[in-house]
Amino acid sequence: MSTTFKSQMSELMKQSWQLVKVYGFSMAEAMKQSWLLLKLKKALSKGIVKFFYQKLSGEIRTAWGTLASEKIPATAGTDSRKKNDSVMVYFDQEKNEFRCFKKANFLSIA
C-alpha cells in the first residue's frame, strides 16, 4: 500500500469518528460524508470547483472555491490561530477571500 493511500484512509477514519462523536452521525452516514469531503478536497486542490453546503442559518450556499496554490493570491504574515478540525477552509473565487463551512453541513459537488 502506498503511504498516500494510508494517510488518506487515516484522515477518512479520523474525520468519520469526529462526525459520529460530535454531530451524532451513524458510522455509515459519517463514512459517506467523509468520502464526499475527501473527494471535494482533492478536487479543490486541482482547480476551481462548484459545491454546495448548508449555512448555519439554514440557507443553502452555492460556492465556487479552490485550494490550488496558483489560483490563490499571496498572503502576508503567518496564521497563528488554532486549527479547527470540524471546518473545511477554501478560497472563495466570488468573494476573493478565504471561507469555511462545517464539515457536517457539506451537501454535494456540482
Side-chain angles (χ1 to χ4, degrees):
M1 286 186 154
S2 70
T3 57
T4 57
F5 179 75
K6 285 182 182 179
S7 64
Q8 285 179 341
M9 290 303 105
S10 175
E11 179 185 345
L12 181 87
M13 290 307 294
K14 286 178 188 174
Q15 193 167 281
S16 296
W17 276 113
Q18 181 184 29
L19 290 170
V20 169
K21 290 179 192 174
V22 177
Y23 298 105
F25 280 45
S26 70
M27 192 57 177
E29 292 171 327
M31 290 291 288
K32 186 176 179 180
Q33 186 77 351
S34 295
W35 274 112
L36 286 172
L37 289 164
L38 189 65
K39 288 178 185 177
L40 175 64
K41 187 175 179 182
K42 189 173 183 178
L44 286 171
S45 68
K46 291 182 180 178
I48 299 170
V49 180
K50 180 181 179 181
F51 59 97
F52 306 96
Y53 62 90
Q54 186 173 7
K55 293 171 55 172
L56 294 177
S57 65
E59 177 186 343
I60 303 298
R61 165 97 158 86
T62 303
W64 291 88
T66 188
L67 290 175
S69 57
E70 65 272 1
K71 305 225 187 268
I72 299 173
T75 56
T78 59
D79 186 14
S80 60
R81 294 181 289 177
K82 184 180 173 195
K83 303 299 181 217
N84 186 347
D85 291 333
S86 66
V87 298
M88 180 156 220
V89 178
Y90 67 96
F91 186 78
D92 192 318
Q93 292 298 131
E94 295 171 325
K95 301 284 184 179
N96 281 330
E97 57 187 33
F98 283 95
R99 299 276 175 148
C100 66
F101 61 90
K102 286 189 176 188
K103 291 179 179 180
N105 294 346
F106 177 68
L107 298 174
S108 66
I109 301 172

